[in-house]
Amino acid sequence: MAVSRLPAAALSLKQFLQRQKVLGVYRDLLRTIRKIPAESDRRYLRDWAREEFKRNKSETDQDVIRMMITQAHNHLEDLRKSLALAGC
Amino acid sequence: MAARIIARCVRSLNHRTVYFNRINTAATLTAAPLTHGRTLSQLTNGHKSPLAQISGSSFQVFQWRQYGDLPPLTLDTIHDRVLYVLKLYDKINPEKLQAASHFTKDLGLDSLDQVEIIMAMEDEFGFEIPDADAEKLMTPQEIVQYIADKKDVYE
């Protein structure tokens, strides 16, 4: 996910919007993880999310990035549904 | 009897509140019974704010009202807390951290780290920062300014 582009390099509008989407889904993910009751689970998932996003940081292909954003959204929905089932 | 219970609670707090209590028991024995319940809950909550009212003058009946709330924020406390949270963040070198150090340019962080930092600030100060505002905050000074704006802290 092309989130670490230097400000010096000009981003096209599409790339800029995609970058915002990535950061948005990362933020939503962190906010949902915050709601998890167990501290160890919370830490584990936070590290997992961090790892996943950092690993794909240097991706430049827009379609691949779009796919990864969708995957992240799916993970987020799974997490939200599990939390709802567990009663938060 | 309530005074005895209060005295017992106070013994478990620090000695300053014992002084307060000696005045308090004299005062509350003459005051309305309602203040008994209030002081008991105050002392069991460990609320320090009643102490501020006794400073100096003794043997006066105080009608105090306590509301459960956090201590008021000042620019200095916000600044200290922001820097404290940043120092705890593992990717920041505490020696290089200044109020004006830019996250990406000076501290070498990326936007994911900046998101995490703003999340930590949300946790610290207990209110949500919307995405549009969050992505603009790039130095500790800006964060302090933003929180002061949102929390109506003027100096």
Side-chain angles (χ1 to χ4, degrees), chain B residues 45-134:
Chain B
N45 286 341
H47 232 303
K48 295 264 177 87
S49 28
L51 292 173
Q53 295 169 359
I54 328 171
S55 57
S57 59
S58 46
F59 298 111
Q60 232 181 316
V61 181
F62 286 102
Q63 283 283 313
W64 61 78
R65 289 210 186 93
Q66 303 298 335
Y67 303 97
D69 200 2
L70 302 162
L73 290 173
T74 64
L75 272 181
D76 287 327
T77 56
I78 297 177
H79 185 260
D80 291 337
R81 282 164 77 181
V82 167
L83 285 183
Y84 183 65
V85 170
L86 287 174
K87 289 198 179 106
L88 286 177
Y89 189 59
D90 57 355
K91 291 211 178 151
I92 294 184
N93 184 2
E95 283 104 54
K96 292 177 74 186
L97 184 64
Q98 310 258 317
S101 31
H102 197 272
F103 292 139
T104 36
K105 291 185 219 161
D106 298 331
L107 299 170
L109 303 171
D110 65 9
S111 45
L112 290 174
D113 298 324
Q114 195 257 354
V115 170
E116 288 177 26
I117 288 173
I118 301 297
M119 284 274 132
M121 293 299 156
E122 284 185 7
D123 287 332
E124 170 69 22
F125 290 97
F127 71 100
E128 272 217 2
I129 301 176
D131 295 4
D133 298 335

Side-chain angles (χ1 to χ4, degrees), chain A residues 40-52:
Chain A
S40 57
D41 294 339
R42 228 180 303 163
R43 222 176 307 142
Y44 176 76
L45 281 170
R46 243 185 301 186
D47 291 341
W48 165 80
R50 212 180 186 182
E51 267 311 304
E52 288 288 324

Side-chain angles (χ1 to χ4, degrees), chain A residues 10-75:
Chain A
L11 292 176
S12 76
L13 182 61
K14 279 216 187 82
Q15 286 168 336
F16 181 73
L17 290 175
Q18 224 177 28
R19 181 176 180 270
Q20 295 306 98
K21 278 210 195 91
V22 170
L23 294 176
V25 75
Y26 189 54
R27 204 177 278 123
D28 290 337
L29 202 49
L30 286 181
R31 286 222 172 102
T32 314
I33 289 175
R34 221 196 253 163
K35 293 197 195 135
I36 296 176
E39 173 61 42
S40 57
D41 294 339
R42 228 180 303 163
R43 222 176 307 142
Y44 176 76
L45 281 170
R46 243 185 301 186
D47 291 341
W48 165 80
R50 212 180 186 182
E51 267 311 304
E52 288 288 324
F53 275 77
K54 294 265 188 225
R55 191 156 22 102
N56 301 310
K57 206 164 75 153
S58 46
E59 186 63 57
T60 45
D61 186 354
Q62 279 217 324
D63 294 324
V64 178
I65 298 176
R66 212 180 310 146
M67 205 175 59
M68 287 194 271
I69 295 177
T70 316
Q71 267 180 5
H73 274 298
N74 291 340
H75 281 297

Side-chain angles (χ1 to χ4, degrees), chain B residues 2-25 28 35-51 54 64 66:
Chain B
R4 235 181 290 143
I5 299 173
I6 293 175
R8 219 176 296 139
C9 293
V10 164
R11 235 173 276 136
S12 57
L13 297 174
N14 65 56
H15 62 278
R16 272 187 289 148
T17 57
V18 175
Y19 174 70
F20 150 73
N21 187 54
R22 262 184 244 131
I23 306 165
N24 188 31
T25 43
T28 51
T35 56
H36 272 195
R38 220 172 289 151
T39 56
L40 181 60
S41 60
Q42 290 323 310
L43 292 172
T44 49
N45 286 341
H47 232 303
K48 295 264 177 87
S49 28
L51 292 173
I54 328 171
W64 61 78
Q66 303 298 335

